[in-house]
Amino acid sequence: MSRRTMLAGGTVAAGVTAVAATAGRRALSPHRLPLDGGYAPAGNSLDWSNRGSIRCFWHVETEAPLVALTFDDGPMPEWTPQVLDTLGKLDAPATFFLVGKHLRDHAGVVGPGGYDGHDIGNHTWSHADLAQLDADGVLRELQAAHDEIVLRLGREPRLMRPPWGHVGGTTLIAADHFGYDIAMWSQPVPEKQYAGDPDGFVQRVVADARPGSIILAHDVGAKSRLLVVRNLAAIVQGLRAKGLRPVTLSELLASAHAVRADTS
């Protein structure tokens, strides 16, 4: 075998290895497709569902100058109290999608009335990928978190958000079983893009917002996510200066109903 042939073979092998490594990283990413190549089927039903349909929304069609700030994955020490404290000082309601296990472990950081004035949603018990679970698995994840929210906060959630936005048929059926609406988002905050530029970060969040926007943030996670926690006051003030008022998802949805009623 010539030296040229050997070099060519080595280049091909290196390329195959690189592709395999990339595929491996994708397979382990939270944004991966289900490992079996499909989603949890809708046919794996939980007997007769409550409504026979589900409402799932990304943004709200409204003429009212309203936006919804939403926070996923909490509660967690330090992070969640900072968010609640800032929102309280600014009288800015938001919506929190809680992980049941985190609420159990850190209920003391918010207290029984810590989320008063805010909406609460179910974000599963363990932040599981619901699109890869059968009906019983999804039901267990949502039931455990639902029960924990009722136990700790004395409130029944009416909204759910699937981790990573992954939805399979079984998620829809389980959400219907609980009478949940599924809340996605239209505007994730770009922490990683502005890690060293907090002013640019705030300007970008405010510039991207529009009436009916559902803004996705987190009160737990990597240090880059602290960008939104530390600059939350500036974001709220920037939204208001733009003429947009932060509200809960419930209020945002109600504004859509009012618009439809006015135009019908």
Side-chain angles (χ1 to χ4, degrees), residues 178 211 217 257:
F178 286 99
H257 296 162

Short mmCIF file of all heavy atoms in Angstrom, two decimals, residues 178 211 217 257:
data_model
loop_
_atom_site.label_atom_id
_atom_site.label_comp_id
_atom_site.label_asym_id
_atom_site.label_seq_id
_atom_site.Cartn_x
_atom_site.Cartn_y
_atom_site.Cartn_z
N PHE A 178 -55.72 15.27 33.30
CA PHE A 178 -55.64 16.22 34.40
C PHE A 178 -56.40 17.52 34.12
O PHE A 178 -56.50 18.37 35.00
CB PHE A 178 -54.18 16.55 34.71
CG PHE A 178 -53.43 15.47 35.41
CD1 PHE A 178 -52.61 14.60 34.69
CD2 PHE A 178 -53.54 15.28 36.77
CE1 PHE A 178 -51.92 13.59 35.31
CE2 PHE A 178 -52.85 14.26 37.41
CZ PHE A 178 -52.04 13.41 36.68
N PRO A 211 -46.82 41.79 21.62
CA PRO A 211 -48.05 41.38 22.30
C PRO A 211 -48.35 39.90 22.07
O PRO A 211 -48.33 39.43 20.93
CB PRO A 211 -49.12 42.28 21.67
CG PRO A 211 -48.37 43.51 21.29
CD PRO A 211 -47.03 43.02 20.82
N ALA A 217 -37.71 31.45 30.36
CA ALA A 217 -36.49 31.62 31.15
C ALA A 217 -36.44 30.48 32.17
O ALA A 217 -37.35 29.64 32.23
CB ALA A 217 -36.47 32.98 31.84
N HIS A 257 -59.28 35.55 24.58
CA HIS A 257 -60.73 35.30 24.57
C HIS A 257 -61.49 36.62 24.38
O HIS A 257 -62.47 36.68 23.65
CB HIS A 257 -61.15 34.64 25.87
CG HIS A 257 -60.54 33.29 26.06
ND1 HIS A 257 -60.46 32.66 27.28
CD2 HIS A 257 -59.95 32.45 25.18
CE1 HIS A 257 -59.87 31.49 27.15
NE2 HIS A 257 -59.55 31.34 25.88
#
